[in-house]
Amino acid sequence: MQEFMKRDLTVEKIELACLVEAGKAAPVHKNRKSHGLALFPGGERIISFEGKKLLVGKDTVVYFPKGSDYTVRDRIPFECYAINFQLAGDEVFEPFAVGVKNVNAVLQSFRESQRIWRKKSVGYSSKIKAELYSIIYQLQSENRIPYAKTSVIEPAVRYIHSHYDKEEIRVSDLAELCGISQVYLRSLFQKRFATTPVGYIEHLRMSRAEELLSSQMYAVRDVCFLSGFRDESYFSRRFKKQFGVPPGDYAKSSRA
């Protein structure tokens, strides 16, 4: 995300600006032909890219890289606004989801872009580019973090990825590992990942649990512990809340 936030982007062409009604988005996408930014004003869904899953909630903007393959699974359907575009050069960034603070301004730009696209009056492409630049500026101004600050939490991120499925991880230990306060650690995680350290850890564990259940090789109890949870009841409750069904039912549906 930080590469996107710190770059001076040049939009070459607008491909589409639209409103996607709730439940109408295609679930599977292959080899995107353009970059895309989408605003989700409500609802909840899981967007899965190769090697990365994004849990996307209310007032969140998602970046879809050109050339990417991904699936969208709505948990709580809701409309979204999207702008597809081409960038000058070969820039491609990692997919990300980020919460928007000034959501009214961003929503207004997406809505205006959709209106302009529908009318397609003289100069419509330039007008939409202006709205897209406004959205990008808003995202960058809210989320740009100097590299020196971003790098501070790298030891915590590496530790989490190496140990999330093996042990309990305390925020206090992560903060000590980085040499910063817990408050500052949470702040940097929120800016970079749009979630807390605890939320980041649980996201990794849930993604691992989903993979293990889908493999049909493990019992629910084994999945619980192999993905880093220590309480099967808690795991089952959290899994059902995120995926809408208990882990046992999810495993059965994977066999269908």
Side-chain angles (χ1 to χ4, degrees), residues 12 25 27 32 35 40 42 53 61 67 77 90 97 130-131 142 152 172 183 188 190 214 231 236 255:
E12 189 173 71
R32 273 190 67 98
H35 302 272
F40 295 86
K53 294 183 180 181
V61 168
D90 299 322
E131 295 295 342
E142 289 184 2
V152 168
S172 58
V183 172
L188 290 179
Q190 192 68 47
S214 297
D231 184 307
S236 295
R255 301 189 189 105

Side-chain angles (χ1 to χ4, degrees), residues 45-56 71 73 95-97 200 203-204 206-212 214 239 242-243 250:
R45 73 279 313 150
I46 297 172
I47 304 176
S48 301
F49 296 86
E50 184 177 352
K52 187 170 188 177
K53 294 183 180 181
L54 305 176
L55 178 60
V56 180
T71 61
R73 186 173 69 217
F96 64 80
Y200 188 81
H203 173 72
L204 290 175
M206 283 298 180
S207 295
R208 178 60 174 159
E210 183 185 21
E211 292 172 1
L212 293 173
S214 297
F239 191 94
Q242 179 161 329
F243 294 98
Y250 188 92

Side-chain angles (χ1 to χ4, degrees), residues 220 231-241 245-247:
V220 171
D231 184 307
E232 188 175 351
S233 296
Y234 174 81
F235 164 65
S236 295
R237 290 195 304 271
R238 297 298 298 172
F239 191 94
K240 182 177 180 180
K241 182 176 181 180
V245 295

